[in-house]
Amino acid sequence: MTTETTRTPKRGGLSDLRKMFGGSTSGARQFGILASLIAIVVVFQIWTGGLTLSSQNLINVVSQQSYILILAIGMVMVIIMGHIDLSVGSVAAFVGIIVAKSMNEWHVPWPFAIAIGLVVGVLVGAWQGFWVAYVGVPAFIVTLAGMLIFRGANQWIGQSTTTPVPQEFSFIGSGYLPELPIALNFNVLTMLLGLIGAGWIVYNEVRLRRQQHKIGAEAAPVWVSGVKVVVLCAAILWASWLFATGRPGTSFPVSGVILLVLVVIYSFLTNNTVFGRHIYAVGGNRMAAALSGVKDRRIDFFVMMNMAVLAAIAGMIYVGRATASGPQDGNGWELDAIAAVFIGGAAVSGGIGTVIGSIVGGLVMAFLNNGLQLVGAGADTVAITKGLVLLLAVAVDVISKRRGGPSIIGLIMSRRRRSTESFPETPTVAPSGTNESSQPADIRRG
């Protein structure tokens, strides 16, 4: 039994503000990535004289980065499992050329061409998942081989030439939400999308407080929740207004809609399903997860297959935006996706990471790249800066853990851990032969 500590937790003031971000630890550390994104946007907004947050620039950022962010959704699940996937760019290019050929030369209607692309993604993912999960070849080697195989297959099928796609198909990569026959000076569907997002923020906060009240957990003061909801809703509605009031003929990109749908689906999958909990369990401690009855090989297989399917979607969106499939499509995409995941808070050792964090990490890279281009920086400067940002993002966490401080990356996942404020600050000794600190919270709670 534990005895109550005489130390009284701090209340009010900064302690309440920290709860705005869902935890009792430092909000500045827990949400350092989000703060970095805001800082980058503000700096470039001032530096470029207001171009960064202009309607057209925001539309360009979403259109140019949507396929990378889609790859990041799948890559974070792969990295949580302790794997890496180097083949996603080649798989995207491989699917892109097949889809383009099917429409251009085989005269397949574009909806069926999309279905063909998804089936090819499933088959490629099953191929790579089989080698990783059931043969036991490390994912690094399997996907390195896949990067070479599918890059060569792309060039062989396409004869190293570009293949155009019909205008109807281009809509998924370069289209926008359509205008409704209503005499308003903004895009109604874009604003409706923003209102849905704001409504979800309100609903989610109310649901969270009800759950905390139901289990007797300490909740943030009502004013803190109110400030949080107002700030987030204002940001969503303001961004929606910028997208809705761009130049005539533009609005929120269709590729962005696809991205948002995938973010919602995979956030729910990783946070609220048994499959999602198993991903974190295997990534945190594979042996402990297997002993608890988790079929780790099956999880490996489906995570690798899912990555290939998302690569197929990203490839088709890119081909739609470029209006053609070419032999150089997908070059370097895997590096951008991996960088987004690690900047977004994933741990190199696996077991830690979130879909939302990876999207924020991808946006950090996107606005950094976009801002440098707007101020006239060369490609060399952009590459060096992106490399330094990636290195620092991981190094800060490694140094923090080495000095015995809290892991900044670990703090990103604090919402998945039970709050320990009400318990005595005594060390916990794990049973012999186990590494309790590496196990996910679901396993540690038994």
Side-chain angles (χ1 to χ4, degrees), residues 316-370:
M316 288 187 284
I317 288 176
Y318 179 81
V319 168
R321 182 172 181 270
T323 68
S325 173
Q328 300 303 316
D329 292 354
N331 278 340
W333 289 8
E334 58 278 348
L335 303 181
D336 288 335
I338 293 169
V341 172
F342 283 130
I343 292 174
V348 178
S349 57
I352 293 174
T354 63
V355 171
I356 298 297
S358 299
I359 295 299
V360 174
L363 290 175
V364 167
M365 299 295 282
F367 278 101
L368 187 64
N369 184 68
N370 174 261

Side-chain angles (χ1 to χ4, degrees), residues 69-93:
L69 296 178
I70 288 173
L71 292 178
I73 294 173
M75 190 66 73
V76 69
M77 298 169 67
V78 172
I79 290 176
I80 288 170
M81 291 285 293
H83 301 313
I84 204 78
D85 194 331
L86 301 176
S87 68
V88 292
S90 297
V91 171

Side-chain angles (χ1 to χ4, degrees), residues 62-63 66 70 171-175 252-260 317:
V62 173
S63 297
S66 57
I70 288 173
F171 181 75
I172 67 170
S174 57
F252 194 74
V254 172
S255 59
V257 176
I258 296 173
L259 171 64
L260 290 178
I317 288 176

